[in-house]
Amino acid sequence: MKHLLYIFFGLAVLLTACDNHYEERSLQLHELQALNRSDSLMTNDSLALALCNYFDRHGTANDRMLAHYLLGRTYADLGQTPQALEAYHDAIDHADTTASDCDFAILGRVYAQMSDIVYMQNLMQDYMVCNEHAINYGWKARDTMMALNETGYRVPALVELNRDEEAIALFDSTFNKIKKKYGLKVAATYCLFPVNSLLRLNRFAEAKKNIDIFEKYSGFFDSQHNITKGREGFYYYKGLYFLKIHENDSALSCFYRTLHLASNVLNRRMATRGLSLAYQQINRPDSAAKYGLLSYELNDSFYTQMATREVEQMQAMYNYSRHQQIAQREHQRAESESRKAQLRLYFLIGIVLIAGMAVFLLLNKRKKEKEAYAESQRRLEKAVNEVVALRLHAEYLEQTVQASEQALHQQNDDAERQIVELHKIIYDKETEIRQQQKLLAESRHRYVQTKESAEERLIKSETYIYIHKLANVGQKLTDDDWHLIHNLVVETLPRFYQYIISNKYSLNQHEYQACLLFRLHVNALSVSNLLGVSPATITKVSKSIMKKLFDKEGNSKDVMEMLSDLC
């Protein structure tokens, strides 16, 4: 009895310690979330990693999602974009959207942060997907501000995609909702988003109205009418408006003001582009060329910096000191990892058993189909033989009736009835033959179809043939063409698609699109034509793909072979 009391006492102490540890970690998690909400700089990735490791074993689905979300925010503040993106994906994987207490507000913010990353990488289609999730989960969480805010941020992406009417309609709807809910000052901050679309559609009055509302109500101007730092792009949009209505002096003034106030490369690039357009319109080719060249250099510098940052971020993932830290943490969790390894082993055994069962069921299905096919053949042969015999018998009866028609009138009537019955039987048998032939053809079709490989279906598809026709004439692909290519790859090459998706966020848009075209057996020259870039660009893209996906050196031919070997 005494020993039992000791055991119960020990268990109570252990449970109390576990509860205290959970409370301590929960407090750290919420403190880190409070830091995030205050928009403070988050640089303690060691704490964020420790919280992820703890709650992956002990926390709820909401705890795990929040921990990985905060890890992603920390990586983002540290400038480690690829790790941040991976952490956001982990957060999404840990979310239990079927649970009644799922924190949809945090899930919506995860997608919002992901959308910011892909927008900066100019991946507008991916941005639209992430943004849509952020909006939906914002509404589910009844977080009206987040949902409306993300809806408003959808407008610039639509403008970038040249979907002008849709962008303007969405802006009008969102502006009115935000104005009604939060006031004109908040709504005014969104007014520059559709200006480009309005100007492209020559709706100048509406563009001017939006510019005036932003200038008057947004709160980004002080008492001396100086604009808040970082918002200098306002003068670029105002200059575009003046340029469209041919007030060239006012346009030049706005563009020069943008250039003088610009606090970053992006705003300087916008300013020089505007100046180039203005000097073209007033027929001063020297000045237009000067600022056009400067804009080109700034544009090249901007994207070079983006590429440099991406390379530095990818290299940081493999930094030696960081691996040392991870190794130390892994050593401390050795016992826990041992248990995980056992679970993975059991899981692998389960997968093998399931795969074996699937193979067995597939082979059994094939066996039954072959047996059904053979049985259909036997029934068909039997029915044909019966029909032949019945026809011979019918002919014999008809001859008998003709020979004894006058003497055996009564017998003739009976024979005629038999003939009618026999013709009915013949008709029924012929019907059965047609049904058996149809079943036989369907069975043969299924049997042959199961042997057709994914590669054969790919090559025979209409989309594949269509894309190669476009490649032969050197025509650049449209968004609809990319939609067809995406559907074809998902349907015929799902394993390849999953592989590309899993690596997709380390590839830029040209690299991702080039991978799809190489897998469709399009040569390098045709890929450059379909993407609308130079062959030299495809050579660089091919080398980058080989390095990122396979960690090897190689050319476009090597890329095509490696991608074809995937599946």
Side-chain angles (χ1 to χ4, degrees):
M1 185 67 179
K2 185 182 292 185
H3 294 302
L4 288 175
L5 289 175
Y6 286 150
I7 293 172
F8 286 134
F9 178 74
L11 289 173
V13 171
L14 181 61
L15 290 173
T16 302
C18 291
D19 289 341
N20 290 337
H21 195 199
Y22 180 81
E23 291 177 1
E24 178 184 351
R25 288 299 191 183
S26 294
L27 179 61
Q28 291 176 330
L29 184 66
H30 288 94
E31 287 175 349
L32 194 60
Q33 170 66 333
L35 195 66
N36 174 50
R37 285 176 174 170
S38 65
D39 204 23
S40 301
L41 189 64
M42 300 166 62
T43 58
N44 192 350
D45 58 338
S46 297
L47 174 61
L49 276 169
L51 291 174
C52 287
N53 292 330
Y54 177 79
F55 286 109
D56 282 350
R57 299 191 303 273
H58 302 289
T60 65
N62 285 337
D63 291 335
R64 291 189 287 273
M65 175 173 61
L66 178 59
H68 284 279
Y69 165 61
L70 294 175
L71 177 61
R73 292 287 296 112
T74 303
Y75 280 141
D77 284 351
L78 289 171
Q80 299 175 1
T81 303
Q83 294 95 320
L85 202 57
E86 182 179 3
Y88 293 145
H89 277 293
D90 290 339
I92 293 169
D93 291 339
H94 285 296
D96 184 4
T97 55
T98 62
S100 59
D101 63 342
C102 179
D103 193 341
F104 290 112
I106 293 297
L107 186 56
R109 283 170 172 77
V110 173
Y111 277 109
Q113 294 295 330
M114 287 177 62
S115 68
D116 288 344
I117 291 176
V118 297
Y119 186 91
M120 292 305 297
Q121 294 178 350
N122 202 31
L123 301 173
M124 291 304 161
Q125 296 297 341
D126 294 325
Y127 172 82
M128 298 293 281
V129 174
C130 293
N131 174 259
E132 184 177 2
H133 284 303
I135 294 169
N136 290 339
Y137 288 124
W139 288 122
K140 275 195 172 185
R142 298 181 180 178
D143 189 340
T144 306
M145 188 62 206
M146 182 179 75
L148 290 176
N149 189 54
E150 291 302 315
T151 304
Y153 286 145
R154 194 175 183 84
V155 175
L158 291 170
V159 174
E160 287 294 324
L161 292 169
N162 293 319
R163 293 157 63 177
D164 294 327
E165 294 288 356
E166 188 177 349
I168 294 168
L170 181 62
F171 167 77
D172 290 340
S173 172
T174 308
F175 176 83
N176 291 328
K177 290 177 182 177
I178 294 176
K179 178 182 175 182
K180 181 178 180 181
K181 184 76 175 178
Y182 301 103
L184 181 57
K185 182 177 180 180
V186 177
T189 61
Y190 298 83
C191 281
L192 295 183
F193 291 169
V195 168
N196 260 338
S197 290
L198 290 168
L199 293 177
R200 281 200 292 255
L201 296 176
N202 296 326
R203 293 162 66 169
F204 304 137
E206 294 176 58
K208 180 64 165 60
K209 179 182 177 182
N210 278 34
I211 292 171
D212 290 344
I213 292 174
F214 181 89
E215 191 169 9
K216 186 174 181 179
Y217 298 106
S218 67
F220 292 136
F221 298 84
D222 61 18
S223 57
Q224 285 76 37
H225 207 69
N226 296 316
I227 197 166
T228 302
K229 186 177 181 180
R231 300 282 180 173
E232 305 88 1
F234 162 76
Y235 294 109
Y236 168 75
Y237 290 105
K238 192 171 184 179
L240 288 180
Y241 164 73
F242 284 129
L243 197 63
K244 281 286 187 178
I245 63 173
H246 297 283
E247 293 187 13
N248 298 323
D249 291 340
S250 298
L252 284 170
S253 176
C254 287
F255 293 143
Y256 275 118
R257 193 169 188 179
T258 307
L259 184 61
H260 294 152
L261 296 176
S263 58
N264 53 55
V265 175
L266 179 60
N267 284 339
R268 287 197 294 274
R269 185 183 60 171
M270 292 166 63
T272 53
R273 181 178 181 274
L275 287 168
S276 178
L277 292 173
Y279 281 121
Q280 287 179 42
Q281 183 162 298
I282 62 179
N283 197 24
R284 289 176 56 182
D286 291 344
S287 297
K290 170 187 172 182
Y291 287 105
L293 180 60
L294 183 56
S295 176
Y296 176 81
E297 291 174 351
L298 288 170
N299 185 64
D300 187 57
S301 173
F302 176 74
Y303 284 108
T304 299
Q305 289 178 16
M306 287 182 63
T308 301
R309 286 198 299 271
E310 183 178 356
V311 171
E312 290 172 351
Q313 290 162 0
M314 293 304 294
Q315 289 174 340
M317 293 177 67
Y318 300 99
N319 182 273
Y320 175 78
S321 61
R322 190 164 185 80
H323 276 295
Q324 287 294 97
Q325 295 174 5
I326 294 174
Q328 290 174 2
R329 287 195 294 270
E330 290 298 322
H331 179 71
Q332 294 171 357
R333 299 197 305 271
E335 183 178 352
S336 174
E337 289 300 322
S338 176
R339 291 195 296 270
K340 289 183 179 179
Q342 288 181 344
L343 290 175
R344 284 195 294 268
L345 178 60
Y346 296 149
F347 179 77
L348 180 61
I349 292 173
I351 290 295
V352 172
L353 291 175
I354 292 172
M357 182 62 71
V359 171
F360 171 78
L361 292 175
L362 180 61
L363 292 175
N364 188 49
K365 181 181 178 182
R366 292 279 182 83
K367 181 181 178 182
K368 288 182 178 180
E369 287 180 351
K370 289 181 179 180
E371 291 175 351
Y373 180 80
E375 180 63 22
S376 297
Q377 284 185 318
R378 288 193 294 270
R379 289 181 179 179
L380 179 60
E381 292 173 356
K382 181 180 178 182
V384 170
N385 291 335
E386 290 177 351
V387 168
V388 171
L390 288 170
R391 285 187 182 280
L392 293 173
H393 188 55
E395 291 175 358
Y396 170 76
L397 288 176
E398 287 176 350
Q399 292 173 0
T400 302
V401 168
Q402 291 174 0
S404 58
E405 183 176 1
Q406 294 178 352
L408 302 170
H409 182 73
Q410 185 61 39
Q411 294 180 11
N412 183 43
D413 290 340
D414 294 339
E416 287 179 351
R417 283 196 298 273
Q418 291 183 29
I419 291 171
V420 171
E421 292 174 359
L422 287 172
H423 279 298
K424 183 178 182 303
I425 293 172
I426 290 171
Y427 175 81
D428 291 339
K429 288 298 180 179
E430 288 177 337
T431 301
E432 181 180 353
I433 288 172
R434 287 192 295 272
Q435 292 174 348
Q436 292 299 325
Q437 287 174 333
K438 181 179 178 182
L439 291 174
L440 184 61
E442 291 175 350
S443 178
R444 185 185 296 110
H445 176 70
R446 289 195 301 271
Y447 183 71
V448 172
Q449 190 178 38
T450 57
K451 293 183 177 181
E452 187 176 41
S453 67
E455 189 67 23
E456 290 172 340
R457 295 197 305 272
L458 173 69
I459 294 173
K460 292 178 180 179
S461 68
E462 294 181 358
T463 300
Y464 180 91
I465 296 170
Y466 169 68
I467 295 303
H468 275 267
K469 286 182 179 179
L470 293 182
N472 290 335
V473 298
Q475 182 176 336
K476 184 178 178 181
L477 295 175
T478 65
D479 290 341
D480 291 336
D481 296 333
W482 282 114
H483 182 70
L484 291 174
I485 292 173
H486 176 268
N487 288 342
L488 173 63
V489 172
V490 169
E491 292 174 0
T492 60
L493 303 170
R495 290 177 55 195
F496 168 77
Y497 175 72
Q498 288 298 324
Y499 180 82
I500 291 299
I501 286 300
S502 66
N503 293 279
K504 182 175 178 182
Y505 297 104
S506 66
L507 303 175
N508 61 36
Q509 186 175 14
H510 279 163
E511 291 167 349
Y512 170 66
Q513 292 176 341
C515 283
L516 296 182
L517 293 176
F518 280 136
R519 184 60 185 85
L520 296 182
H521 311 304
V522 180
N523 60 48
L525 179 59
S526 296
V527 170
S528 68
N529 292 332
L530 292 176
L531 293 181
V533 298
S534 66
T537 299
I538 295 303
T539 300
K540 292 173 63 178
V541 166
S542 300
K543 291 180 179 179
S544 179
I545 292 172
M546 285 295 294
K547 188 65 178 176
K548 289 182 179 180
L549 297 187
F550 308 110
D551 196 20
K552 294 180 179 180
E553 299 293 336
N555 53 28
S556 59
K557 182 178 180 182
D558 298 324
V559 172
M560 189 178 297
E561 291 178 355
M562 294 293 287
L563 293 178
S564 296
D565 290 341
L566 289 178
C567 60

